[in-house]
Structure formats: structure tokens, C-alpha cells
Amino acid sequence: MKMGNQSYFKVLIICLIAIIGSTHAQLQPGFYAKSCPKAEQIVLKYVHDHIPNAPSLAAALIRLHFHDCFVKGCDASVLLNSTQTNQAEKDAIPNLTLRGYEFIDTIKSLVEKECPGVVSCADILTLTARDSIHAIGGPYWKVPTGRRDGIISKAADTFTSLPAPFHNLTVLLTLFGNVGLDANDLVLLSGAHTIGVSHCSTISTRLYNFTGKGDQDPDLDNEYAKNLKTFKCKNINDQTTLIEMDPGSRNTFDLGYFKQVVKRRGLFQSDAALLKSSTTRSILAQHLQSNEKFFTEFGRSMEKMGRINVKIGTEGEIRKHCAFIN
Ligand code: HEM
Ligand SMILES: *[C@@H]1O[C@H](CO)[C@@H](O)[C@H](O)[C@H]1NC(C)=O
Ligand SMILES: *[C@@H]1O[C@H](CO)[C@@H](O)[C@H](O)[C@H]1NC(C)=O
Ligand SMILES: *[C@@H]1O[C@H](CO)[C@@H](O)[C@H](O)[C@H]1NC(C)=O
Ligand SMILES: CC(=O)N[C@H]1CO[C@H](CO)[C@@H](O)[C@@H]1O
């Protein structure tokens, strides 16, 4: 069938609208370049002014970003406070040990002062996590922006979406798979455990009562377990002592965690799980070869994680305060 000039014109217009529509409907570098040109700079400056004095916050912030993205997508749902009728993600058991909320709230208030109601908490959290890791000498990755904030946050969702320290490899791969991440991403992103701390209570059953018979997890290096029991986690009921996941370099983003894991010294069962298949073992071995390659690929996986089920266009909202929906 032959189309007249006018029909061609119509088709062209429709195509243009479709193209414009679709480019708006995805994350893009510098989404705020026109609407709030200083936004990314404000985040970066605050991070540079504060993270060097409090490097342990970098760990808290990247973990917050991870928890956000795995539950309902990267939409800052993790930042919402509970209300009288709703228990938010923040108040679920896995979140008891999350930190860094005030840091995000402060940056948000600075950005709001510059351009009220324009920049999402979801983007601020994503940018802050990236800049904080880079500020402690870790990798850098691209953060396209344009995420919008969710209006729903339910504690119960964390139990079905978030990996737990006692999960085995099958469950971990399923939970990562559910959000479009693969075995390679699982190994690489677990590499974030090269910084930060855990509570003794998170690993006390591995040390003291693995199968309910007063035993130790055989997957944990015996020498290391003895050391932890003698000097760190002295009894099964210790709720407060913190232990470094990469001893001696908790603020240095390096291959330390992978080295621990292959020595069977990863703190969680989910860390030990990475040794349970030839696929994940070979991914580990591969990344142990080069810090530079680890940084590049970690960044690639982070960028991927930052795209999980993002809300864009007219979905969600731009929150005024990260702890509350508008
Ligand atoms: C593979 C599944 C994962 C599990 C089961 C897991 C579990 C945990 C647990 C239980 C803690 C310590 C909580 C405590 O006792 O205080 C922790 C800490 C941490 N996780 Fe993960 N995690 C996983 C993946 C990730 C990912 C993907 C990232 C980031 C990309 C990450 C970053 C961190 C950091 C930085 C800390 C230390 C936090 C701090 O110092 O405050 N984790 N993780
Ligand atoms: C939100 O809840 C946290 C405790 O989870 C509390 O410390 C904080 O003050 C609350 N935020 C606001 C703005 O009320
Ligand atoms: C992993 O854990 C799940 C859930 O607890 C369980 O059903 C499954 O059998 C476990 N898989 C392996 C290989 O241990
Ligand atoms: C170890 O686990 C068993 C079975 O869950 C429990 O009955 C026992 O009280 C635990 N022991 C300690 C010291 O917590
Ligand atoms: C940091 C934070 O918000 N922690 C909360 C986790 O959940 C408990 C209740 O389960 C709250 O009391 C904490 O404030």
C-alpha cells in the first residue's frame, strides 16, 4: 500500500513521540542538568566534607542503597518511617542494623534548599552511595538519574525480597535473579563486605549452636572461629559487639573480603555459599587476580543494581522529606 506525504508525516510524528516518550521513560546521565544543575555537586561536596572523617558511613550508605533496591526497586522506600497504620521496611528485622539515614536526610535538605521538590530521595541515595565509596578510595561507577520516590514501604516485603546471612546459594541466586542480577553480580556485590561491620549476634549460631547441638558451622575455618570466640564474640548472647568483615581493613575497599572467603573466613553463611558451586568459585578466583578488574566489574554490577525496578516519568513522586511521603 502506498502512503501519501501526509501519512508519512503522521507516521514520522508518531515515531518521534514514541522516541521522545521512551527516552523520558528511562534513567539518563545528568537528568537534573536543567532542573537542578547543582544537585549532583551538592551531594558530592557533602560527601567529600564528611566521609573522610567518618569513613565507616560509606559502608552504611552502600548497604542502605542495596536494601532499597532489592525491596520494591530503588525508590527510597527504605527511607520511609513507619506510621500509625504501617510498619515500614526500616522497622523490619533486617533493617535493625542499618545506619546512615540522617546523612541522607541532611543532603536532601541541602538539595531542597537549592531546588525544592525536584530531586528524588532515590537518586540522592544512589549518588551518595557511589560518591561515598569513591571517597574512601573504592570504585567509581556511572549513576544515571531520574528515579522517582515510592510511596509504599512495608516491613513484610523485606522478608521475601532481601537476602539473609543464613541463606544458601540456591536462595541467594533466586533472590538476585528476581531482580535481574546473576551469579556474577552476586559474587561481585558481595565484595562490598570488604568494608564495614557485622554484629556478633548475626553469626552467633555459626559459632556456638549451628545445628542446635552446641556445634560450630563446619564451613567456617576452625582457627578463625576459635579466634572470634576467644577475642570477639565471647558468648552466644552477645548482642552488641561489632566485628569487621575484612579484619584490619574495614574502611579500605579492596580484595580483602574475597581473600577471606576463599580461606573459609567469610562471616556469613551467604559468604561461605560463594564457595559452594564451581561457577561462583571460578568467579571468585577470577576477581582475586586483579584489583583493577574487580573495581571495574563491581562498578558495572552497582550500576545494574541501581536500575532495579526504578520508578520513572510520572510514577511515584518527588518526596519533600525522605522519611515521609508528601
Ligand atoms: C548477598 C547477600 C547479602 C547478605 C545476605 C548480606 C548480609 C549482611 C549482613 C547480615 C550484614 C551485617 C548486619 C549486622 O550484623 O550488623 C551486612 C553488612 C553489610 N553489607 Fe551485606 N549482605 C549481602 C549483600 C550485600 C550487598 C549487595 C552490599 C552492597 C553492594 C552489601 C553491603 C554491606 C555492607 C557495606 C555492610 C556493612 C554495613 C555497616 O558497616 O554498617 N551487602 N550484610
Ligand atoms: C524517623 O524514624 C526514626 C527512627 O526510625 C527517627 O529517628 C527519626 O527521627 C524519624 N524521622 C523523623 C523526621 O521524624
Ligand atoms: C536452600 O535453602 C532452601 C530454603 O531453606 C531449601 O529449601 C533448600 O533445600 C536449600 N538448598 C540446598 C542446596 O541446601
Ligand atoms: C541451641 O539450639 C537448641 C535448638 O534450637 C536450643 O534448644 C538450645 O537452647 C540452644 N543453645 C543455646 C546455648 O542457645
Ligand atoms: C534504624 C531504625 O530505624 N531502626 C528501627 C528498626 O526496627 C525497630 C523495630 O523493629 C525500631 O525500633 C528501630 O528504630
Side-chain angles (χ1 to χ4, degrees):
M1 197 181 73
K2 200 167 181 287
M3 280 197 268
N5 271 349
Q6 228 180 351
S7 307
Y8 274 122
F9 192 64
K10 270 187 202 157
V11 170
L12 190 67
I13 294 287
I14 289 164
C15 287
L16 276 177
I17 289 169
I19 290 164
I20 291 165
S22 70
T23 52
H24 271 257
Q26 52 181 292
L27 301 179
Q28 50 184 279
F31 180 83
Y32 302 108
K34 290 216 173 67
S35 56
C36 190
K38 291 211 181 112
E40 295 197 21
Q41 250 171 275
I42 292 171
V43 174
L44 184 62
K45 180 168 191 316
Y46 192 82
V47 165
H48 278 178
D49 286 350
H50 294 89
I51 290 294
N53 299 323
S56 82
L57 266 179
L61 291 161
I62 194 174
R63 183 164 182 238
L64 210 48
H65 177 41
F66 156 56
H67 280 219
D68 182 32
C69 292
F70 266 66
V71 186
K72 288 221 177 317
C74 314
D75 68 347
S77 54
V78 72
L79 303 178
L80 286 171
N81 271 15
S82 292
T83 63
Q84 278 183 342
T85 53
N86 181 57
Q87 195 193 8
E89 289 168 33
K90 213 184 232 187
D91 292 324
I93 291 164
N95 290 3
L96 280 167
T97 53
L98 290 178
R99 314 177 283 137
Y101 295 108
E102 300 80 11
F103 198 82
I104 298 296
D105 286 346
T106 308
I107 295 179
K108 171 67 171 173
S109 71
L110 295 172
V111 173
E112 281 297 291
K113 229 181 279 168
E114 176 74 20
C115 357
V118 173
V119 183
S120 69
C121 295
D123 277 337
I124 289 176
L125 177 54
T126 311
L127 291 162
T128 303
R130 189 269 314 271
D131 290 345
S132 299
I133 293 302
H134 195 232
I136 61 165
Y140 187 83
W141 59 93
K142 280 182 249 154
V143 174
T145 41
R147 293 169 192 75
R148 290 170 64 86
D149 298 325
I151 54 170
I152 297 168
S153 175
K154 295 202 174 301
D157 291 336
T158 60
F159 302 111
T160 48
S161 310
L162 270 179
F166 50 82
H167 280 156
N168 61 33
L169 185 60
T170 316
V171 176
L172 292 170
L173 286 170
T174 303
L175 292 173
F176 272 65
N178 288 347
V179 292
L181 301 177
D182 57 23
N184 205 39
D185 300 312
L186 169 64
V187 175
L188 282 159
L189 294 176
S190 295
H193 288 166
T194 185
I195 54 169
V197 289
S198 161
H199 287 75
C200 281
S201 49
T202 306
I203 61 155
S204 52
T205 55
R206 284 196 94 192
L207 294 177
Y208 290 105
N209 205 8
F210 191 58
T211 64
K213 293 178 192 146
D215 53 344
Q216 193 176 292
D217 184 347
D219 285 339
L220 184 61
D221 174 59
N222 188 43
E223 225 22 57
Y224 192 53
K226 257 201 267 179
N227 197 287
L228 286 171
K229 291 200 275 197
T230 311
F231 300 107
K232 297 277 184 183
C233 307
K234 294 181 187 162
N235 68 73
I236 193 170
N237 297 313
D238 183 338
Q239 299 290 323
T240 50
T241 307
L242 295 171
I243 33 177
E244 304 168 296
M245 296 193 280
D246 177 10
S249 80
R250 60 176 279 194
N251 290 325
T252 312
F253 205 101
D254 56 17
L255 288 164
Y257 162 83
F258 287 165
K259 289 179 186 159
Q260 286 286 103
V261 169
V262 298
K263 284 195 227 156
R264 303 169 65 246
R265 294 179 171 197
L267 280 189
F268 311 135
Q269 282 152 274
S270 59
D271 299 322
L274 305 180
L275 293 173
K276 295 276 177 177
S277 82
S278 57
T279 313
T280 47
R281 269 199 312 272
S282 86
I283 298 169
L284 267 177
Q286 207 183 309
H287 290 296
L288 270 167
Q289 300 298 314
S290 142
N291 205 59
E292 202 181 308
K293 182 159 184 263
F294 168 49
F295 272 30
T296 309
E297 303 231 340
F298 179 84
R300 204 173 294 153
S301 288
M302 283 303 298
E303 195 184 332
K304 210 166 147 189
M305 188 180 93
R307 292 179 184 275
I308 296 173
N309 292 331
V310 290
K311 298 183 170 60
I312 36 176
T314 56
E315 297 172 285
E317 62 178 20
I318 303 296
R319 252 176 247 158
K320 291 192 176 70
H321 189 298
C322 294
F324 308 104
I325 60 170
N326 293 342

Short mmCIF file of all heavy atoms in Angstrom, two decimals, residues 79-82 90-91 101-102 105 321-324, ligand 2:
data_model
loop_
_atom_site.label_atom_id
_atom_site.label_comp_id
_atom_site.label_asym_id
_atom_site.label_seq_id
_atom_site.Cartn_x
_atom_site.Cartn_y
_atom_site.Cartn_z
N LEU A 79 13.81 4.45 53.15
CA LEU A 79 14.00 5.64 53.98
C LEU A 79 12.73 6.08 54.70
O LEU A 79 12.77 6.92 55.60
CB LEU A 79 14.51 6.82 53.13
CG LEU A 79 15.81 6.60 52.35
CD1 LEU A 79 16.14 7.84 51.52
CD2 LEU A 79 16.96 6.29 53.31
N LEU A 80 11.59 5.53 54.29
CA LEU A 80 10.31 5.97 54.87
C LEU A 80 10.14 5.49 56.31
O LEU A 80 10.46 4.36 56.64
CB LEU A 80 9.14 5.46 54.03
CG LEU A 80 8.89 6.16 52.69
CD1 LEU A 80 7.84 5.41 51.89
CD2 LEU A 80 8.49 7.61 52.89
N ASN A 81 9.62 6.36 57.12
CA ASN A 81 9.31 5.99 58.51
C ASN A 81 7.99 5.26 58.60
O ASN A 81 7.11 5.46 57.77
CB ASN A 81 9.25 7.25 59.37
CG ASN A 81 10.60 7.62 59.94
OD1 ASN A 81 11.62 7.12 59.48
ND2 ASN A 81 10.61 8.48 60.94
N SER A 82 7.87 4.46 59.63
CA SER A 82 6.59 3.81 59.90
C SER A 82 5.57 4.87 60.28
O SER A 82 5.93 5.97 60.72
CB SER A 82 6.74 2.83 61.05
OG SER A 82 7.55 1.75 60.65
N LYS A 90 12.06 0.03 57.18
CA LYS A 90 13.03 0.50 58.16
C LYS A 90 12.93 -0.25 59.49
O LYS A 90 13.91 -0.45 60.18
CB LYS A 90 12.71 1.97 58.43
CG LYS A 90 13.86 2.85 58.72
CD LYS A 90 13.32 4.24 59.05
CE LYS A 90 14.02 5.29 58.23
NZ LYS A 90 13.66 6.66 58.63
N ASP A 91 11.71 -0.65 59.82
CA ASP A 91 11.48 -1.28 61.11
C ASP A 91 11.34 -2.80 61.04
O ASP A 91 10.86 -3.44 61.96
CB ASP A 91 10.25 -0.67 61.77
CG ASP A 91 10.51 0.78 62.16
OD1 ASP A 91 11.65 1.07 62.56
OD2 ASP A 91 9.60 1.62 62.03
N TYR A 101 20.74 7.06 57.85
CA TYR A 101 19.53 7.81 57.49
C TYR A 101 19.71 9.33 57.62
O TYR A 101 19.29 10.10 56.76
CB TYR A 101 18.34 7.38 58.36
CG TYR A 101 17.91 5.95 58.15
CD1 TYR A 101 18.17 4.97 59.10
CD2 TYR A 101 17.25 5.57 56.99
CE1 TYR A 101 17.76 3.65 58.91
CE2 TYR A 101 16.85 4.26 56.78
CZ TYR A 101 17.11 3.30 57.75
OH TYR A 101 16.72 2.02 57.55
N GLU A 102 20.34 9.75 58.72
CA GLU A 102 20.48 11.20 58.97
C GLU A 102 21.35 11.83 57.89
O GLU A 102 21.12 12.97 57.48
CB GLU A 102 21.11 11.49 60.34
CG GLU A 102 20.32 10.96 61.53
CD GLU A 102 20.55 9.47 61.78
OE1 GLU A 102 21.48 8.89 61.17
OE2 GLU A 102 19.78 8.89 62.56
N ASP A 105 19.19 12.38 54.97
CA ASP A 105 18.22 13.46 55.27
C ASP A 105 18.88 14.84 55.19
O ASP A 105 18.28 15.79 54.71
CB ASP A 105 17.61 13.26 56.67
CG ASP A 105 16.59 12.11 56.68
OD1 ASP A 105 16.17 11.67 55.59
OD2 ASP A 105 16.22 11.65 57.78
N HIS A 321 10.51 15.28 52.10
CA HIS A 321 11.37 14.77 53.17
C HIS A 321 11.49 13.27 52.97
O HIS A 321 10.47 12.60 52.75
CB HIS A 321 10.74 15.10 54.54
CG HIS A 321 11.67 14.81 55.69
ND1 HIS A 321 12.14 13.55 55.97
CD2 HIS A 321 12.23 15.63 56.61
CE1 HIS A 321 12.94 13.60 57.02
NE2 HIS A 321 13.01 14.85 57.43
N CYS A 322 12.71 12.74 53.06
CA CYS A 322 12.90 11.34 52.69
C CYS A 322 12.21 10.36 53.63
O CYS A 322 11.97 9.21 53.25
CB CYS A 322 14.39 11.02 52.56
SG CYS A 322 15.17 11.91 51.20
N ALA A 323 11.87 10.79 54.83
CA ALA A 323 11.24 9.87 55.78
C ALA A 323 9.72 9.83 55.65
O ALA A 323 9.07 8.99 56.28
CB ALA A 323 11.62 10.23 57.21
N PHE A 324 9.16 10.73 54.81
CA PHE A 324 7.70 10.80 54.70
C PHE A 324 7.25 10.93 53.26
O PHE A 324 7.90 11.63 52.48
CB PHE A 324 7.16 12.03 55.46
CG PHE A 324 7.65 12.10 56.87
CD1 PHE A 324 8.67 13.01 57.21
CD2 PHE A 324 7.14 11.27 57.84
CE1 PHE A 324 9.14 13.06 58.50
CE2 PHE A 324 7.61 11.32 59.14
CZ PHE A 324 8.62 12.22 59.48
C1 LIG B 2 12.00 8.53 61.57
O1 LIG B 2 12.21 7.42 62.43
C2 LIG B 2 13.48 7.36 63.02
C3 LIG B 2 13.56 6.05 63.78
O2 LIG B 2 13.36 5.00 62.92
C4 LIG B 2 13.69 8.54 63.93
O3 LIG B 2 14.98 8.51 64.49
C5 LIG B 2 13.52 9.81 63.11
O4 LIG B 2 13.56 10.92 63.97
C6 LIG B 2 12.22 9.81 62.35
N1 LIG B 2 12.27 10.91 61.42
C7 LIG B 2 11.51 11.97 61.55
C8 LIG B 2 11.81 13.08 60.63
O5 LIG B 2 10.60 12.02 62.39
#
